[in-house]
Amino acid sequence: MNSVAYEAIIGLEVHVQLLTRSKMFCACENSYGGEPNSRTCPVCLALPGSLPVVNDEAVKMAIALGLGIHGEIRERSTFYRKQYFYPDLPKGYQITQGPVAVVENGWIEIPGDPKVRGEIQPVRIGIERAHLEEDSGKSSHDLNAKSSHVDLNRAGVPLVEIVGRPDLRSPQEASDYLKDLHRLVTFLGICDGNMEEGSFRCDANVSVRPQGQMAFGTRVEVKNINSFRNVKLALEFEIRRQIELYERGETFEQETRGWDAATGETRAQRSKEAAMDYRYFPEPDLPALTITGDEVELVRSKLPELPEARKARFMGDYGLSEYEAITVLQDRAFADYFEAVARTCGNGKQAANWMLGEVSRTLNEQGTTITKLGLLYAFLAELIQLVESRTINLMTAKEVVFPALLKGKGTPRQIVEKHGLAQVSDRGAIEALIREVLASNAAQVAQLKAGNEKLKGYLVGQIMKAGKGKVDPQLVNEILNALLAEA
Ligand code: ADP
Ligand code: ZN
Ligand code: MG
């Protein structure tokens, strides 16, 4: 049988919880946690007679996002009511934006997956719109066996929904796109980016079609994806499932499926026929949202340096490779920390080496973040300087001083002094040490001279060991070469 090659088409819908002080349409505090139902008022509880008022800070954040995704900021957009009945939605409808959204026609650039594009080239992923809306409350069904519980602290929290165009062609691209958006909203400071707590969440639409076919295949929307890893896994699973159906000659209906991270599968939730009719209509209690050019310029003038610009600057100012710059820019706190270290120690390349090496390894091992690690950037900078000035060698820095720093044993200098770690750079002392090692390894020296170059490394190892790891490796090499040449 001739097997057909299939192409995947993916479009993501991303919900971003905005870091405003108050909720979208009322003055209640917008913050995670807290005593259930303590952050509520007549507006977000939907008591009769209460009226919503648009949160200006949320609008400014939406504008900032719009500028970050190269979008058009609409002068006039409107709010609608999207009706559905759910216990955690007190009004019986969600206020969201209608046909015209505050931001339209944006894009972001991602590397492009060479596996599906044939070559590495940046591709632009279109963004149809980004609109303002409100979050729902939270239902819990597992607090006890008899009842379900509703917490309305989250009801009315401002969201921006970013609707991506179906321009992504592989799970890898979907994950890259999501990471880029995540980076953007955290750099803008409009979202805390916490995916586990749902501050940044994504639904993935996916269809497949035979390579070369113009028309899109039937799409499935996968809900409940809460990590970059899961977006890839869910899409890989769903693409395989759809291809298998087509290969068996079956068709399927458009539907919504849920991702189950525990089983690694998507499961049917509701079919298109069962899809709700939201009976959208314009929100009568809110005027149209109008944004002037001056307001847009004010937001633009206050934008922080965005990832793209910062990447270029890191490559220029600190001599980082593109890969290093992108990796250092994994999140804002990490990038800020790197930059503080680089500026303090004066060596950006070394700062990047440490951040991407020992520091990242430690963060992975401890499952923590740079902010929570609690290592002062000035200490890391001082450690780098101690290596640069050849006070200690790199091995001692990595294996002894860095772990001691993490345990809060003092400043790098204090640790070096307390444990006598400063390296021996007295030529005479090193030469004596080397002569001793050469004398007791006469056979290896002879073999080395006969051409067995591998023994050089062995001898250096013996010398470093004899010097208790504290001799300056550069001097060891220099003197060893001289001694070998003279004999
Ligand atoms: P709806 O109005 O049902 O939400 P939209 O046209 O707004 O549908 O699309 C929702 C999402 O689905 C968008 O992110 C879009 O990129 C994506 N999408 C649309 N068509 C397809 C398709 N054939 N395959 C994959 N994703 C698609
Ligand atoms: Zn409220
Ligand atoms: Mg839609």
Side-chain angles (χ1 to χ4, degrees):
M1 198 183 81
N2 237 345
S3 80
V4 195
Y6 286 89
E7 177 183 40
I9 308 288
I10 300 164
L12 301 189
E13 293 169 283
V14 177
H15 282 91
V16 175
Q17 248 179 33
L18 299 178
L19 275 178
T20 51
R21 277 159 300 180
S22 55
K23 291 187 182 180
M24 187 64 217
F25 301 112
C26 62
C28 288
E29 184 183 335
N30 168 19
S31 68
Y32 186 78
E35 185 67 18
N37 300 304
S38 61
R39 285 154 197 176
T40 55
C41 73
V43 173
C44 55
L45 291 176
L47 299 189
S50 61
L51 286 173
V53 176
V54 171
N55 180 337
D56 191 48
E57 200 186 5
V59 174
K60 290 205 169 76
M61 289 183 177
I63 297 173
L65 172 78
L67 295 173
I69 59 173
H70 320 92
E72 295 161 18
I73 316 296
R74 288 287 176 229
E75 241 172 81
R76 189 174 188 282
S77 57
T78 44
F79 288 100
Y80 268 58
R81 288 185 180 181
K82 181 180 182 181
Q83 339 274 330
Y84 54 102
F85 178 76
Y86 213 72
D88 55 27
L89 189 70
K91 289 196 288 283
Y93 58 84
Q94 175 197 33
I95 303 180
T96 180
Q97 291 209 282
V100 179
V102 57
V103 176
E104 296 188 341
N105 296 319
W107 53 267
I108 60 173
E109 206 169 74
I110 62 164
D113 183 355
K115 283 203 200 102
V116 291
R117 308 256 179 197
E119 54 181 328
I120 302 183
Q121 102 221 76
V123 284
R124 277 190 188 182
I125 306 303
I127 292 169
E128 187 185 309
R129 57 191 265 143
H131 57 254
L132 279 162
E133 57 187 31
E134 57 178 338
D135 212 341
S136 60
K138 200 173 165 212
S139 304
S140 310
H141 306 288
D142 48 10
L143 293 181
N144 66 48
K146 289 200 189 108
S147 53
S148 285
H149 295 246
V150 175
D151 176 8
L152 295 175
N153 284 350
R154 203 182 63 187
V157 161
L159 296 176
V160 165
E161 177 177 353
I162 305 169
V163 183
R165 294 193 193 277
D167 292 345
L168 300 160
R169 291 293 175 269
S170 74
Q172 178 63 47
E173 289 194 354
S175 153
D176 285 344
Y177 167 84
L178 197 61
K179 280 185 188 163
D180 261 29
L181 267 189
H182 184 268
R183 191 183 322 216
L184 178 66
V185 297
T186 52
F187 271 73
L188 283 170
I190 63 172
C191 175
D192 68 17
N194 192 325
M195 294 178 82
E196 272 158 44
E197 288 175 2
S199 323
F200 183 91
R201 45 193 202 256
C202 142
D203 301 329
N205 297 271
V206 54
S207 60
V208 301
R209 66 180 172 191
Q211 205 99 53
Q213 175 184 305
M214 287 300 286
F216 286 158
T218 307
R219 83 174 147 101
V220 161
E221 180 171 358
V222 185
K223 297 236 177 232
N224 191 27
I225 301 174
N226 64 356
S227 74
F228 298 120
R229 194 174 111 83
N230 278 325
V231 83
K232 258 174 99 172
L233 293 175
L235 285 168
E236 276 159 10
F237 176 86
E238 188 54 30
I239 290 166
R240 233 179 300 121
R241 192 187 70 86
Q242 292 182 16
I243 292 176
E244 274 168 25
L245 287 173
Y246 286 132
E247 303 240 285
R248 286 206 299 270
E250 292 176 35
T251 55
F252 53 92
E253 292 295 313
Q254 186 176 323
E255 64 174 348
T256 302
R257 299 176 70 88
W259 167 246
D260 183 344
T263 60
E265 294 180 354
T266 64
R267 266 205 303 264
Q269 280 184 342
R270 59 185 134 84
S271 67
K272 198 185 177 189
E273 288 83 72
M276 272 175 276
D277 173 6
Y278 296 119
R279 296 176 295 126
Y280 279 93
F281 69 81
E283 166 61 67
D285 290 340
L286 285 170
L289 177 64
T290 54
I291 296 171
T292 65
D294 285 352
E295 283 171 292
V296 174
E297 288 320 306
L298 187 65
V299 173
R300 195 195 303 278
S301 70
K302 290 184 182 159
L303 283 183
E305 188 181 31
L306 295 183
E308 272 166 76
R310 209 162 179 195
K311 183 180 100 181
R313 196 168 58 75
F314 279 6
M315 292 168 69
D317 287 4
Y318 302 118
L320 305 194
S321 68
E322 180 162 24
Y323 172 80
E324 288 169 329
I326 290 175
T327 320
V328 163
L329 282 160
Q330 54 192 259
D331 67 54
R332 187 169 168 179
F334 195 88
D336 287 348
Y337 191 99
F338 155 76
E339 192 147 28
V341 175
R343 286 205 174 127
T344 312
C345 77
N347 187 334
K349 198 80 184 169
Q350 282 308 324
N353 282 347
W354 277 88
M355 292 302 290
L356 304 181
E358 300 307 297
V359 174
S360 293
R361 195 176 49 71
T362 308
L363 297 182
N364 284 337
E365 276 170 15
Q366 301 189 9
T368 187
T369 64
I370 192 68
T371 317
K372 289 186 193 144
L373 185 66
L375 172 65
L376 290 178
Y377 72 80
F379 284 5
L380 182 54
E382 188 176 302
L383 179 58
I384 293 171
Q385 283 172 331
L386 289 176
V387 176
E388 263 196 13
S389 63
R390 288 163 69 181
T391 307
I392 54 174
N393 63 40
L394 192 58
M395 200 176 74
T396 306
K398 285 186 178 171
E399 290 175 9
V400 189
V401 186
F402 184 70
L405 278 180
L406 293 177
K407 290 192 187 125
K409 302 277 182 192
T411 74
R413 247 175 255 287
Q414 285 167 344
I415 295 166
V416 167
E417 275 163 28
K418 188 161 166 220
H419 300 278
L421 299 171
Q423 63 186 355
V424 179
S425 39
D426 169 357
R427 293 190 86 94
I430 294 179
E431 187 176 329
L433 187 75
I434 297 179
R435 282 190 193 281
E436 245 173 69
V437 172
L438 293 186
S440 52
N441 288 280
Q444 284 82 354
V445 174
Q447 282 180 45
L448 173 59
K449 284 188 176 156
N452 189 348
E453 284 294 328
K454 268 187 272 171
L455 285 163
K456 175 98 177 279
Y458 167 79
L459 288 173
V460 170
Q462 293 300 306
I463 297 162
M464 295 305 289
K465 204 165 139 193
K468 301 194 176 64
K470 289 192 296 186
V471 282
D472 182 341
Q474 229 169 300
L475 278 178
V476 166
N477 258 309
E478 242 177 79
I479 301 170
L480 176 62
N481 286 340
L483 291 181
L484 288 173
E486 94 192 4

